[in-house]
Amino acid sequence: MAQQSFESAQAVLQRVGPHATKDLSLQFELTTIDNNMGHVLEARGRLDEATIQYGSMLALCRKLVAARPERTEW
Protein backbone atom coordinates (compact mmCIF):
# COMPACT_ATOMS: atom_id res chain seq x y z
CA MET A 1 0.00 0.00 0.00
CA ALA A 2 2.75 2.49 0.90
CA GLN A 3 4.58 1.73 -2.31
CA GLN A 4 1.45 2.39 -4.39
CA SER A 5 0.91 5.72 -2.65
CA PHE A 6 4.50 6.79 -3.24
CA GLU A 7 4.34 5.67 -6.88
CA SER A 8 1.15 7.67 -7.39
CA ALA A 9 2.67 10.77 -5.83
CA GLN A 10 5.83 10.31 -7.88
CA ALA A 11 3.80 10.05 -11.09
CA VAL A 12 1.88 13.23 -10.31
CA LEU A 13 5.05 15.20 -9.61
CA GLN A 14 6.79 13.84 -12.70
CA ARG A 15 3.86 14.92 -14.90
CA VAL A 16 4.58 18.54 -14.13
CA GLY A 17 7.68 17.93 -16.24
CA PRO A 18 9.41 21.17 -17.21
CA HIS A 19 7.94 23.05 -14.27
CA ALA A 20 9.51 20.64 -11.79
CA THR A 21 13.02 21.46 -12.95
CA LYS A 22 12.45 25.14 -12.18
CA ASP A 23 10.50 24.73 -8.96
CA LEU A 24 12.85 23.82 -6.13
CA SER A 25 9.95 22.96 -3.80
CA LEU A 26 8.72 20.35 -6.27
CA GLN A 27 12.25 19.00 -6.58
CA PHE A 28 12.41 18.67 -2.81
CA GLU A 29 9.11 16.76 -2.80
CA LEU A 30 10.54 14.39 -5.41
CA THR A 31 13.58 13.74 -3.18
CA THR A 32 11.28 12.86 -0.31
CA ILE A 33 9.29 10.43 -2.45
CA ASP A 34 12.46 8.85 -3.87
CA ASN A 35 13.76 8.38 -0.34
CA ASN A 36 10.50 6.86 0.90
CA MET A 37 10.30 4.55 -2.11
CA GLY A 38 13.87 3.48 -1.41
CA HIS A 39 12.95 2.57 2.16
CA VAL A 40 9.96 0.52 1.06
CA LEU A 41 11.94 -1.34 -1.59
CA GLU A 42 14.85 -1.91 0.79
CA ALA A 43 12.51 -3.33 3.42
CA ARG A 44 11.18 -5.74 0.81
CA GLY A 45 14.68 -6.89 -0.07
CA ARG A 46 14.59 -5.25 -3.51
CA LEU A 47 17.97 -3.63 -3.04
CA ASP A 48 18.75 -2.97 -6.71
CA GLU A 49 15.52 -1.00 -7.11
CA ALA A 50 16.08 0.79 -3.79
CA THR A 51 19.55 1.82 -4.95
CA ILE A 52 18.02 3.46 -8.03
CA GLN A 53 15.60 5.45 -5.87
CA TYR A 54 18.34 6.50 -3.47
CA GLY A 55 20.57 7.49 -6.40
CA SER A 56 17.82 9.64 -7.85
CA MET A 57 17.28 11.26 -4.47
CA LEU A 58 20.98 11.98 -4.07
CA ALA A 59 21.24 13.57 -7.52
CA LEU A 60 18.26 15.82 -6.81
CA CYS A 61 19.61 16.74 -3.37
CA ARG A 62 22.92 17.77 -4.91
CA LYS A 63 21.10 20.06 -7.34
CA LEU A 64 19.05 21.57 -4.53
CA VAL A 65 22.08 22.21 -2.35
CA ALA A 66 23.96 23.74 -5.28
CA ALA A 67 21.02 26.04 -6.03
CA ARG A 68 20.32 27.07 -2.43
CA PRO A 69 23.13 26.11 -0.04
CA GLU A 70 21.57 28.12 2.78
CA ARG A 71 18.57 25.74 2.90
CA THR A 72 19.93 23.34 5.50
CA GLU A 73 16.93 21.00 5.25
CA TRP A 74 18.01 20.25 1.67
Side-chain angles (χ1 to χ4, degrees), residues 24 27-35 53-69 71-74:
L24 298 179
Q27 291 293 306
F28 181 69
E29 294 300 323
L30 280 170
T31 66
T32 302
I33 292 170
D34 284 340
N35 186 53
Q53 293 296 315
Y54 290 141
S56 176
M57 178 200 63
L58 182 58
L60 287 171
C61 284
R62 286 180 174 150
K63 288 179 185 178
L64 288 171
V65 169
R68 302 281 302 274
R71 298 283 306 260
T72 56
E73 71 273 19
W74 292 355

Side-chain angles (χ1 to χ4, degrees), residues 13-28:
L13 288 174
Q14 288 173 343
R15 273 190 293 229
V16 296
H19 302 292
T21 59
K22 297 175 187 173
D23 187 327
L24 298 179
S25 295
L26 287 175
Q27 291 293 306
F28 181 69

Side-chain angles (χ1 to χ4, degrees), residues 27-56:
Q27 291 293 306
F28 181 69
E29 294 300 323
L30 280 170
T31 66
T32 302
I33 292 170
D34 284 340
N35 186 53
N36 290 338
M37 282 289 295
H39 289 310
V40 169
L41 293 166
E42 183 179 354
R44 293 183 175 167
R46 296 165 58 184
L47 301 181
D48 290 341
E49 293 173 75
T51 299
I52 292 168
Q53 293 296 315
Y54 290 141
S56 176

